[in-house]
Amino acid sequence: MGLSTAWALLRQGFDVHLLDQAAPPNAAATSVDHHRLIRHAYGAQRGYMRMVDDAYAAWGRLWADLGEVLHIPTGVLALDDTAGDWVRETRAALRADGRAHEDLTAVQVAARFPYLSGEGITDAFFCPAGGVLLAERIVAALARHVVAQGGVIEVARATSLDPARAILTLEGGATRSADVLVVAAGPWIPRLLPEIARRVTPSRQVVVRLEAPSEAWKTAPMLLDLAAGGGFYLVPPVAGTPLKIGDHSFSRLGHPDDDRTPDPVEVERILALARKRIPGIEGFARLGSATCFYDVEPDERFVVEPLGPRAWVMSGFSGHGFKFGAVLGERLAGAIAQPETAARLPAWAAGDEVIPA
Ligand SMILES: Cc1cc2nc3c(=O)[nH]c(=O)nc-3n(C[C@H](O)[C@H](O)[C@H](O)COP(=O)(O)OP(=O)(O)OC[C@H]3O[C@@H](n4cnc5c(N)ncnc54)[C@H](O)[C@@H]3O)c2cc1C
């Protein structure tokens, strides 16, 4: 979020000074992993579904500046074996906007994606739009680009901030000041902004990386599997990355500076979610597992809000923010450049169907 905002501010002609506690790409940051998914499938959250169009347009502008496209189209396969609403509500939202999607039966799922079992599927659709953002490569390329455009990246840890005066205090006591301060500290934010700590909770999430056993997986769609015993998502092995599975149930546990070694019980819990859908998954070579941190807002609504006239906070991305990084950066830079347009940004970022000017 910080790098995207820096990119967009530089495009608007601002001087930008970025601070990070480690040089980007910082492996501990939420944005730094092989991949992050971008999809219109958003349940009943139509604001975020529509924001994905803006997100793709912003990524297009970023790819043009970076000179490379760091997105692999895969499409989205969504499955349900519960009496839940998510797949049904997503389909209704896609249909209402005339977005391409194809309903599938359990038999059709198993025939078209033979590495999956159709067992228990009660509802499914395939959506051709959507894909994988190569997250770590994006963060690294953005950091290089920001510096090439005259931005400064300083490696230092902020210990406190004064939003009213746009001043940061660093470890060791030095301070940095600016005309405008943007605080985008991912899951570390509660320590910097106690008022946000009441709304945003760090949440330890484990992912498991596997070697896909057949070439067929290389053209697999992203998979969103909603299941009665707990659902999971799967990222296919695109562009030389591993196949990855994880879940979207918030642990709401831990702190990003804690030991991140995944416990075997956590790894087993993730694998168990996928076992029914992916026959033979026990035999897939394990390439490792990792712990990443969400910054969870109770309703999964992003917090992009002013902290007075000279500071903004970007937080509460609740495990679904990466896809919107470029567009949120652009919109916040726009609000900083033209404060008269800023009033509508928080509601739009929170997923309400308000289109900012
Ligand atoms: C397992 C997992 C899967 C996900 N899947 C998806 C997905 O498929 N699609 C999607 O859209 N989103 C997904 N997300 C969410 C997405 O990755 C995040 O919403 C997004 O990356 C958040 O970016 P950020 O810039 O807010 O935080 P970060 O990337 O964490 O950046 C915050 C930066 O602030 C720095 N910092 C923090 N505190 C200080 C300090 N005191 N001083 C100096 N620097 C500091 C950190 O070092 C870090 O570099 C997923 C997240 C996880 C964990």
Side-chain angles (χ1 to χ4, degrees), residues 1 20-21 26 30-31 36-37 158 292 294 317 319 321-323:
M1 296 300 162
D20 203 305
Q21 59 195 346
N26 169 12
T30 301
S31 306
R36 293 290 180 249
L37 300 171
C292 185
Y294 286 177
F317 294 109
F322 192 94
K323 67 179 76 59

Side-chain angles (χ1 to χ4, degrees), residues 30-51:
T30 301
S31 306
V32 180
D33 193 356
H34 299 103
H35 4 66
R36 293 290 180 249
L37 300 171
I38 179 164
R39 54 181 162 82
H40 288 91
Y42 246 100
Q45 294 171 291
R46 296 185 186 201
Y48 286 126
M49 175 185 75
R50 291 180 182 154
M51 204 194 283

